[in-house]
Structure formats: structure tokens, C-alpha cells
Amino acid sequence: MTTRREFMVGAAGLTFTVLVDGCAAMRTEERSAGAALASAPAGGAKAVNAWASLAQDGTVYIVNPAVEMGQGSQTAIPLIIAEEMDADWSRVVIVPAAPDDKIYGNPGFRGLMYTAGSATVTGYWDVARTFGAQVRRVVMENAARKWDVPLAELSTEPSTVVHAKTGRRLSYGEIAAFAQVPAAAPTIRLEELKKPEQYRLIGKDVMRVELPTKVNGTAQYSIDVQLPGMLYGAVLRGPVEGTSPLTIDDAQARAVAGVVRIVPSARSRAWCASCPWPSASA
Amino acid sequence: MAINFSVNGRPVSVNAPESTRLLWVLREELKLSGTKFGCGAGQCGACMVHIDGERMFSCLMPVAAAQGKAVTTIEGLSPGRMNALQRAWLAESVPQCGYCQSGQLMSAAALLAANPRPTRAEIKDHMSANVCRCGTYPRIVRAIERAVREG
């Protein structure tokens, strides 16, 4: 897989846009990458891009391309990226991806943003690790230039580049303030990635990031989304598979306050109402 | 006709048909969406709240029946900080999809309020009112036991 990366300097830090050629899932065009950048949250300090950004205050923004259904995808993919970045996990903020298959599609799922079939962690595995390693490399190259030392003398600790010979250290946030970004991304071969015994995060007991929201009622589910003017629907199906109503008497349903419309179909009736209570009771 | 009661310690006055179920008043009018709609028939427990400290299926309870009562939802279980049950829920990584867990926690809190040191059999019996499609039951039992142990 050949890869091509675009790096951009954001208002408050480094932003990295991933453009991967040679991989149907990730092939993209300049404009879709631009659209992803444009859709990033405004507000200066949060220079979030297509995959990750480093803010000068040390916050590391990492995009999650998968849906959280309780199996931990929302934590796992950003954690894999953070592992190879050597990012300080306690400073990572996970940002939901914009719906764009070209940028965020799962290579393991025909390039679609589809979270299913136990294909998420395995599908993004190489891509996520490679991208994280490229971000780390760019950060290290900037530190090497700043200190005028060979890249090979540098190492990283979580969110910190270290020059052991002289004891100098620079945080990723500090580097984000002066970093220059190459036009072409550094090439990272899979064999250059961390070995399992070097992992700080993968394989460790890291709490899923969404868990606290699931014990205090703040986790948002589809049923919790409210939009102006939205209607609520409910479907009444036959009690036995394959049956159809012989007659439909919807007088009682129509009499329920808030019912907007009753939609008959071959096998069911559907209600649309201005609030969910009539839908559930009609 | 206005129906007056308190929710999480705050007085509320609701104008809704008396038969409207409390669940929808909480979710739609008061915007407390932590309480979930599951079956609508009092069979799954996703809608569990406390009425004057006792657990209740809010999907069945007509809002008029809340007149003068104190309603507590998951949002009011321990505002601003995690209580012992919630901490135990995290320690045991109980939630998977999490949809039923507000109701599970409200049921568990009602249990410990009435019986601070339940046996495992009492826990299982009490918690049988709540269904979890992900099958987190063993972790729920462990979390309640941990909350009892660690306070």
C-alpha cells in the first residue's frame, strides 16, 4: 500500500489529513479532504482535521471512524492511533468522524463506514497504526531540526520527544507551536511499527471512554435525538409472520391527540405523530 | 389541568393529558432522556425511576399518578459525582450498549436503599425486573456486590 499524506498547520496546532492511495477504502480527492477540514469544529483551539491534531495546550484530538455499539470501537481505533503516535492517552479527546466513506471507510469492510461483523479493529489495524506512526515521525523530525541532532538519537515518551544524550525534552504541544510539516508524508514500513512488547496502551486495561456516560444517563442514543419539527413514527405489525390485515379501522387511532397521519401498508400500519406518546399508544 | 410533582428535587408543573405516561413527560417535556423507552409494557425495566424512593416503571405510570410525589431519574441519582453503585458499574465495566443501564442502576439503587446488604439470591431476584439484551447480568451482580463491599 502506498500512502500519501497532507499536513496542514492549523490555527492552534498541527493538523494532519490522511490521504491514502492504493487502498480503495481510503482513496480520496483533495476536495473531500478539504470538506472534512472545513467541517471541523470552529473555535481556534480545536484544530481538528480528518484524523488527528495536536493542540499547543497538549490536547491530542483523534477521530473515531466507527460507531460505538458497546464493543469498544470508539476507544479501540483512537487508542491504536495513539499507541503509534506515543500520545498521552489522558490528553486524548476523541472526535466522531464526519460521514465520509472516502476518508473514513473501513478497509476491512469494502471501504464503507460500517461497524459490523467484528471487522472494525482488524480492518483499520494497519491504517491506524501507520498513520499514528507518521504523526510521531513528523513530530520527531521537527524536534531533530530544532535541536540540530540526528533523528536516530531521539525517542518518545507519551506526548514527549526525548534527546537522551542531552536530557532535553519537548512536549508534542510545544512542538505543535513551531512545527513545519512536509509536503509528502514520511514512509513508514509495517516492520517499523512498535513491537507488541513496546505497547503502552494496546493490551492494557484501558477503560472504554464512553462508559461514564452510560452510568449517569448522558449517553445519547438515536431515540434521544430531537430535531425541530420532527415526527415520531410507530409500526403495528401482524402478530404472525406473513399475515396481513383483513380490514383496517383506524378511527380510534385518528382520535388520539397529536396523530398526524396513518399510513397503511400491505403488512402493517404506521403512525406519524407530533410526539412519541400518541405513536406508542395509537 | 396542571399536575405538580418534583423531579430530582426540583418542583415541576406539567400540563398533559392525565393518562400520558410519566416516561414521555420526563423525556419529551423535561428533556431528561437518560430514562429509556424499551417495551412500553413494564416488562423490561429500561424506564425505571424512583417514586418517593420506590422503583416504578415510568412507561406504565400515568403522569397524574405522580401528583405530589418525588420522582428521581438517573440524572438525579447522584448529581455531579458518581455514587458507589456507579463507581462499581465502571469498575466492573458493566455496560455494553448501555441502553438498559439507567434502569438497571435505578433498580439496584432501590434495592440497596431498602436492603443495604443483600444476598446474591436477593440481588438476582430483585434485578429480575430488568432485562439486558447484551447479557450483562453477571457483571451487574458483581457490581452490586462490589458497591456493597466498597460503599
Side-chain angles (χ1 to χ4, degrees):
Chain A
M1 187 174 72
T2 60
T3 62
R4 179 167 59 96
R5 299 280 190 272
E6 277 204 341
F7 297 125
M8 302 181 67
V9 179
L14 277 183
T15 63
F16 301 82
T17 301
V18 61
L19 301 172
V20 184
D21 290 336
C23 169
M26 307 295 271
R27 190 175 299 132
T28 187
E29 296 169 353
E30 306 292 336
R31 69 171 170 276
S32 63
L37 286 168
S39 67
K46 296 187 178 178
V48 180
N49 76 338
W51 281 102
S53 70
L54 305 175
Q56 292 179 27
D57 69 0
T59 308
V60 178
Y61 297 93
I62 300 179
V63 168
N64 162 44
V67 174
E68 181 59 71
M69 293 186 288
Q71 287 82 0
S73 305
Q74 185 186 5
T75 304
I77 305 299
L79 186 122
I80 292 166
I81 295 173
E83 178 71 70
E84 290 293 343
M85 282 175 66
D86 235 352
D88 178 351
W89 184 245
S90 71
R91 303 301 309 277
V92 170
V93 173
I94 295 172
V95 182
D100 189 336
D101 290 328
K102 289 178 181 166
I103 298 175
Y104 299 113
N106 181 353
F109 215 99
R110 300 192 303 281
L112 302 173
M113 287 179 78
Y114 212 81
T115 307
S118 300
T120 302
V121 168
T122 52
Y124 287 103
W125 173 242
D126 285 343
V127 172
R129 288 188 302 153
T130 303
F131 178 66
Q134 287 181 312
V135 174
R136 174 174 175 270
R137 177 70 59 80
V138 169
V139 170
M140 291 174 75
E141 285 172 348
N142 273 282
R145 272 198 299 276
K146 178 88 169 176
W147 290 328
D148 194 22
V149 298
L151 182 67
E153 291 182 2
L154 300 183
S155 60
T156 55
E157 294 173 8
S159 283
T160 305
V161 178
V162 178
H163 186 233
K165 265 189 180 175
T166 56
R168 283 179 290 185
R169 304 166 66 86
L170 275 172
S171 73
Y172 286 9
E174 289 170 319
I175 294 169
F178 64 80
Q180 294 180 314
V181 290
T187 299
I188 303 284
R189 288 170 288 114
L190 287 179
E191 55 269 28
E192 292 179 275
L193 298 173
K194 284 187 182 179
K195 305 292 177 287
E197 58 269 23
Q198 297 174 289
Y199 289 157
R200 303 181 198 271
L201 300 169
I202 294 172
K204 304 298 190 294
D205 191 5
V206 178
M207 188 171 77
R208 277 160 40 211
V209 296
E210 95 286 8
L211 277 194
T213 71
K214 289 178 173 176
V215 302
N216 65 12
T218 59
Q220 195 180 44
Y221 295 82
S222 306
I223 198 174
D224 304 325
V225 176
Q226 295 195 344
L227 298 168
M230 70 183 269
L231 299 177
Y232 295 81
V235 177
L236 179 67
R237 295 184 179 84
V240 177
E241 172 71 22
T243 55
S244 308
L246 297 174
T247 61
I248 294 176
D249 177 2
D250 55 16
Q252 274 191 302
R254 286 184 189 284
V256 175
V259 169
V260 173
R261 194 173 164 198
I262 295 164
V263 184
S265 76
R267 295 253 164 94
S268 64
R269 283 178 294 165
W271 286 262
C272 295
S274 56
C275 59
W277 161 238
S279 285
S281 63
Chain B
M1 191 186 78
I3 301 155
N4 301 297
F5 51 101
S6 77
V7 176
N8 300 333
R10 289 173 42 201
V12 297
S13 183
V14 171
N15 280 298
E18 291 188 359
S19 64
T20 303
R21 301 308 191 240
L22 176 63
L23 170 67
W24 300 113
V25 171
L26 294 172
R27 288 183 52 85
E28 303 298 318
E29 292 202 31
L30 304 176
K31 308 299 181 193
L32 295 169
S33 60
T35 306
K36 298 303 185 207
F37 169 72
C39 66
Q43 293 178 0
C44 79
C47 68
M48 205 69 86
V49 298
H50 294 176
I51 307 293
D52 289 344
E54 304 243 340
R55 66 174 172 173
M56 180 71 73
F57 296 109
S58 65
C59 77
L60 292 183
M61 186 175 176
V63 65
Q67 173 71 40
K69 297 194 183 302
V71 178
T72 306
T73 70
I74 185 69
E75 290 90 348
L77 182 62
S78 182
R81 64 179 188 84
M82 301 280 178
N83 70 12
L85 274 170
Q86 290 164 314
R87 291 194 302 273
W89 243 244
L90 295 180
E92 296 289 344
S93 288
V94 173
Q96 190 173 317
C97 91
Y99 194 79
C100 73
Q101 298 295 339
S102 295
Q104 302 278 5
L105 278 155
M106 296 310 284
S107 267
L111 170 65
L112 296 192
N115 179 2
R117 307 200 73 82
T119 64
R120 178 165 286 200
E122 287 170 333
I123 291 171
K124 287 185 174 181
D125 181 57
H126 181 90
M127 296 306 294
S128 66
N130 291 74
V131 173
C132 173
R133 173 63 179 78
C134 299
T136 61
Y137 304 112
R139 294 183 184 213
I140 288 171
V141 172
R142 286 206 301 272
I144 293 172
E145 290 177 340
R146 178 189 281 264
V148 168
R149 206 166 54 239
E150 299 181 353

